[in-house]
Amino acid sequence: MTNSDFPGSELTSVLAEPVSVSWQSPSNIALVKYWGKTWRQLPVNPSLSMTLSKAFTETRLTALPRITEGSVELDFWFEGKQNTAFGERIIKFLQSVTDIFPWLSQVALKLETHNTFPHSAGIASSASAFSALALCLCSLDMELNGVLLDETEFRQKASYVARLGSGSACRSLFPGFTVWGKSKALAGSSDLLAVLVSEIHPVFTKLKDTILIVTDKEKPVSSSEGHSRMIGHPFAEARIKQATRNTADLLEAMKTGNKNDFIRIVENEAFTLHALMMTSDNGFMLMHPETVRIISRIQEIRKETGLDICFTLDAGPNVHLLYFEDQIEQVNKLIVEDLLKNNEQNMRIDDFYGKGPVKIG
Ligand code: PMV
């Protein structure tokens, strides 16, 4: 499958008046991590994530009449302010999808977007941002060109397009759990777009993710830079094998409701991601002393109390504490009285298993 599997068409007549569409799209947290890519955002290993609920981006995309055709023309607004720095990344992305949406050179665009969560909170804002934008592009395509797709085709196309903007974004198009990257353990899985995992034991459909904010400062090394450090990494081959096995084992644990295996695999993935960063050429570390303190406490408390809690980490220092519906009260007490007790930020975001994007206009 290539861009030409999603053929687009030009507008047959000049756009007479503005057309707008709006989508709300969530972020997601990877349980098996995508780390390392080739070519146009193709993953070197399969990944599995949970779509979040409260952390989302709202995006409104407007196509406006334009007199002369040419390269992409974008007026970009983030959180109510014009933003040229991020706007440039979006323009590059839009230029890369003009074969799918040829009308992008025939209209002027206004993009207005905002997040429901603070920047640098350990939540992948590029996942929600690019999935929302991909959905808006696919919806505008339908409005402007009368392209008709059924719900499944629409989500697949949006996932494919979102991937070209930010790899992890392609997993935000679906509710609950999603796999991106070819895995023998899941029929239909692909490197080009994400697919929904439908066989999930009910204990996991109410999974909670409280993000414990260690710092809200900008991280010193970006994800893109991190992915590139996997090229020629001494452990690359072993990592691909490990992620492939972890994806298969996690799918099995989630199908059967095996919480112990879930906890073991999720923590193994978080540790591996950060170990890969530290052992790459020009090694770097995104964990802070406070990250290490909190994750060590989570492991100790699990041993001491038998609570089914575990952690994962994104490419940053903040800790995602994962737990189940039946232990909310005990875990909440634990967060307040122990995990965040002497923490300077004392900030948390209580998120949970999400139902996927919503069209809001
Ligand atoms: O989608 P990107 O390029 O921002 O990379 C995301 C990488 C991780 O968040 C660390 C892992 C993942 O699978 O989301």
Side-chain angles (χ1 to χ4, degrees):
M1 201 186 274
T2 62
N3 283 14
S4 55
D5 285 295
F6 297 103
S9 33
E10 296 196 340
L11 302 185
T12 46
S13 56
V14 175
L15 187 68
E17 50 186 48
V19 182
S20 293
V21 292
S22 305
W23 276 90
Q24 176 182 303
S25 189
S27 186
N28 66 75
I29 177 68
L31 304 176
V32 176
K33 312 291 182 182
Y34 146 58
W35 201 236
K37 60 181 167 185
T38 58
W39 199 55
R40 277 182 89 180
Q41 229 100 255
L42 294 178
V44 296
N45 63 264
S47 59
L48 192 161
S49 66
M50 178 173 83
T51 296
L52 295 174
S53 200
K54 282 169 59 182
F56 58 81
T57 297
E58 272 183 2
T59 295
R60 180 180 158 92
L61 183 63
T62 307
L64 298 139
R66 166 173 169 179
I67 299 158
T68 49
E69 291 187 16
S71 56
V72 173
E73 213 178 278
L74 177 73
D75 181 17
F76 178 61
W77 293 73
F78 178 62
E79 311 281 5
K81 292 194 197 108
Q82 267 176 319
N83 185 320
T84 12
F86 199 43
E88 270 161 32
R89 179 168 172 198
I90 307 268
I91 290 184
K92 249 174 121 181
F93 160 69
L94 291 171
Q95 267 154 358
S96 77
V97 293
T98 46
D99 48 348
I100 307 177
F101 307 108
W103 46 264
L104 283 173
S105 55
Q106 297 175 292
V107 300
L109 293 167
K110 182 171 185 191
L111 181 62
E112 296 152 281
T113 178
H114 72 266
N115 294 338
T116 55
F117 50 92
H119 186 59
S120 301
I123 297 176
S125 56
S126 62
S128 53
F130 279 100
S131 56
L133 176 54
L135 285 159
C136 286
L137 285 167
C138 293
S139 283
L140 259 189
D141 201 30
M142 289 173 85
E143 302 261 338
L144 298 176
N145 276 328
V147 178
L148 274 182
L149 298 176
D150 66 27
E151 184 58 25
T152 310
E153 291 167 334
F154 181 84
R155 293 281 157 140
Q156 284 177 341
K157 181 171 175 180
S159 179
Y160 179 97
V161 172
R163 184 200 99 232
L164 298 170
S166 163
S168 57
C170 74
R171 297 186 308 235
S172 281
L173 276 296
F174 306 92
F177 299 96
T178 305
V179 163
W180 169 41
K182 195 133 195 56
S183 159
K184 283 195 184 129
L186 189 67
S189 54
S190 160
D191 285 349
L192 301 171
L193 44 85
V195 293
L196 177 75
V197 181
S198 48
E199 284 187 293
I200 296 289
H201 189 281
V203 292
F204 293 108
T205 60
K206 295 209 172 100
L207 192 65
K208 311 290 166 204
D209 173 11
T210 291
I211 303 143
L212 307 171
I213 310 292
V214 167
T215 173
D216 56 6
K217 292 205 178 70
E218 201 71 51
K219 55 191 178 193
V221 179
S222 69
S223 292
S224 314
E225 176 59 30
H227 287 295
S228 70
R229 304 270 179 104
M230 284 309 289
I231 300 167
H233 193 294
F235 304 142
E237 210 183 304
R239 165 58 189 156
I240 294 169
K241 277 198 191 128
Q242 179 201 37
T244 304
R245 194 186 56 237
N246 278 348
T247 302
D249 292 352
L250 190 58
L251 283 168
E252 183 60 24
M254 294 178 71
K255 186 162 128 186
T256 54
N258 188 329
K259 291 183 184 172
N260 288 337
D261 277 0
F262 175 87
I263 290 170
R264 177 180 58 75
I265 298 163
V266 166
E267 291 193 351
N268 175 253
E269 279 290 319
F271 276 137
T272 300
L273 173 68
H274 285 258
L276 289 168
M277 295 173 190
M278 289 187 245
T279 52
S280 69
D281 230 9
N282 259 324
F284 60 102
M285 186 158 64
L286 297 183
M287 285 191 283
H288 286 203
E290 183 64 356
T291 315
V292 177
R293 186 190 70 79
I294 293 176
I295 62 181
S296 305
R297 270 309 283 150
I298 291 173
Q299 292 196 317
E300 275 169 15
I301 294 164
R302 186 170 65 237
K303 274 207 190 106
E304 286 162 9
T305 63
L307 280 175
D308 300 312
I309 52 173
C310 65
F311 68 88
T312 189
L313 301 167
D314 219 327
N318 301 317
V319 180
H320 289 247
L321 174 65
L322 302 173
Y323 52 101
F324 296 90
E325 168 110 318
D326 58 338
Q327 295 178 339
I328 289 183
E329 271 167 43
Q330 293 102 303
V331 175
N332 190 35
K333 196 160 176 278
L334 182 76
I335 295 172
V336 177
E337 294 177 6
D338 191 317
L339 298 177
L340 284 186
K341 193 164 168 224
N342 296 316
N343 180 280
E344 270 177 39
Q345 301 272 336
N346 199 7
M347 205 178 126
R348 60 192 267 190
I349 297 173
D350 292 308
D351 215 325
F352 47 90
Y353 173 101
K355 298 208 165 83
V358 181
K359 188 161 191 287
I360 49 171

